[in-house]
Amino acid sequence: MKKFLPWIIASGGIMLGLPCLAVTFLEDDSGMATCLILLFALNPIYAICAGVYAGKDIKKLWASPILTALFFLAGTWLFLDIGEKAFLLYALVYLFLGILAMLISMFLKKKH
């Protein structure tokens, strides 16, 4: 649990907190630009990092990519648009990136 708790907090902060901040404190155009940066840059990078970290101890951290995708979905539905189906596609892509990174990290760890 010591290894998993920091990733839960980080996932909550990035995937829930940043969309909330973007919608709450930024104007329309800058908020949209920030959301695009989150969708296409920061969130995929974080999903990959969560997967790589989970691959180092897959028995304890296997749920990290799943929670990352679920937190993303919750954050976007809560703060951007409830029920928007396009966000499901993004969540699936982030889940795929996280699981792929987790498996690659796991296999690289086994080789060394």
Side-chain angles (χ1 to χ4, degrees), residues 55-105:
K56 293 180 181 181
D57 190 3
I58 200 163
K59 289 183 181 181
K60 293 181 181 176
L61 302 172
W62 62 269
S64 182
I66 297 168
L67 287 176
T68 299
L70 290 176
F71 278 144
F72 164 77
L73 196 59
T76 53
W77 279 358
L78 285 172
F79 302 113
L80 298 177
D81 190 8
I82 292 178
E84 176 63 40
K85 300 214 185 326
F87 293 132
L88 281 172
L89 178 63
Y90 285 105
L92 288 173
V93 169
Y94 299 155
L95 178 63
F96 174 75
L97 288 173
I99 290 173
L100 184 64
M102 179 176 64
L103 293 174
I104 291 171
S105 176

Side-chain angles (χ1 to χ4, degrees), residues 34-47:
T34 303
C35 288
L36 289 174
I37 291 170
L38 286 173
L39 288 174
F40 295 117
L42 185 66
N43 291 345
I45 290 170
Y46 180 75

